[in-house]
Amino acid sequence: MNPIISATELAGELSSTRPPVLLDIRYQLGGQHGRPDYEAGHIPGAVFVDLDAELAGPPGAGGRHPLPDPEAFGAAMRRAGVSPDTPVVAYDADKGWGAARAWWLLRWTGHRDVRVLDGGLAAWTGPLETKIPAPAEGTFTPAPGAFAVLDADGAAALARSGLLLDARAGERYRGEVEPFDPVAGHVPGAVSAPTSENLDKDGRFLAAGQLASRFAALGAKDASTAVGVYCGSGVSAAQEVIALEIAGFEPALYAGSWSEWSRDVNRPVATGPLPG
């Protein structure tokens, strides 16, 4: 199914007999916690989900945002009211990163009806509320494996045999700056593909044809190309997974991403504008 939903479509579904569960995943890399903004105003009925605490495991050797324990993730989704047969829509207020992380985790663990609000909260023209909902407990039980996941060795191999995209900002890929991780640079062979270039000036995803052209220029010639994506810690890369899916690809996610790779002194590092 289409991984994104417009604000107009969402408004219609919220007033239907089968409204989606709404997840507010306001998260900003290096910024303030999203809960205060959620409490100040959210789409009616939306439940706040804490990306650091509920959509990631404890930071460590596996990176800053390793995949969460499936059982802990399932419990968080049930608290939010998610069941296997309930549609889910996630949104955030910054480039779709947080919402995409929730989308990816739910799809990876077997939920089939999950979408991201295209354009995020800024696209929503309806009312906001401050009431904190208390949804009925859901029944969703995670079954991981629906999406392909890469480890560090798999990412290194794909960079040689297929196409490994680096979704971070270009200056981090080139090794000019590194505000979060131990070493600056990129996985040798990876191609720079910042997430910002998946969106238009209003923060909405580009059309499927535009995205297909973008990824073709980066080396993904057709759907048979083996594609993987990584970022700093596996969060923003999920937004690129959505863009690739819109374009007709089935990419794998390197979940540990650069925050895992750069912690291993035995892993090679490339710098500069070329894959290396």
Side-chain angles (χ1 to χ4, degrees):
M1 69 181 305
N2 191 344
I4 58 176
I5 181 173
S6 72
T8 300
E9 291 169 327
L10 176 59
E13 292 193 13
L14 288 174
S15 63
S16 72
T17 58
R18 190 170 174 258
V21 171
L22 273 180
L23 306 179
D24 185 309
I25 325 285
R26 271 182 261 190
Y27 163 83
Q28 190 171 30
L29 181 64
Q32 69 176 21
H33 197 276
R35 180 84 193 193
D37 288 339
Y38 165 80
E39 292 179 350
H42 50 267
I43 298 176
V47 176
F48 180 75
V49 176
D50 188 324
L51 188 147
D52 287 323
E54 297 176 305
L55 303 184
R64 286 183 281 110
H65 289 107
L67 297 182
D69 172 76
E71 290 306 313
F73 171 68
M77 292 298 97
R78 290 191 292 273
R79 287 194 298 272
V82 176
S83 293
D85 58 346
T86 55
V88 179
V89 173
Y91 71 88
D92 60 36
D94 185 40
K95 306 182 190 69
W97 292 359
R101 173 72 167 203
W103 170 88
W104 189 93
L105 285 170
L106 279 164
R107 289 286 306 277
W108 172 63
T109 54
H111 201 296
R112 294 178 177 273
D113 193 350
V114 191
R115 289 161 293 170
V116 164
L117 176 58
D118 195 19
L121 188 59
W124 178 256
T125 58
L128 300 178
E129 69 176 16
T130 57
K131 178 183 177 182
I132 308 300
E137 183 87 0
T139 59
F140 176 66
T141 300
F147 276 174
V149 180
L150 297 171
D151 61 12
D153 289 340
L158 186 60
R160 296 189 299 269
S161 65
L163 178 64
L164 182 65
L165 299 177
D166 185 317
R168 298 173 300 163
E171 59 268 24
R172 291 183 69 192
Y173 170 88
R174 294 188 295 270
E176 297 166 3
V177 298
E178 183 43 68
F180 304 106
D181 296 313
V183 180
H186 59 267
V187 176
V191 174
S192 181
T195 58
S196 59
E197 296 178 22
N198 297 324
L199 308 176
D200 65 15
K201 62 181 178 60
D202 296 317
R204 294 178 174 85
F205 281 95
L206 298 175
Q210 292 174 291
L211 289 169
S213 295
R214 183 200 179 201
F215 294 123
L218 294 172
K221 299 304 181 184
D222 54 51
S224 66
T225 305
V227 183
V229 188
Y230 76 94
C231 57
S233 64
V235 174
S236 65
Q239 187 251 51
E240 191 122 293
V241 170
I242 289 178
L244 282 157
E245 186 166 296
I246 292 171
F249 296 90
E250 296 182 358
L253 175 71
Y254 173 24
S257 285
W258 187 248
S259 62
E260 177 188 46
W261 184 280
S262 61
R263 278 170 167 74
D264 185 344
V265 297
N266 295 311
R267 296 280 175 193
V269 173
T271 57
L274 301 178

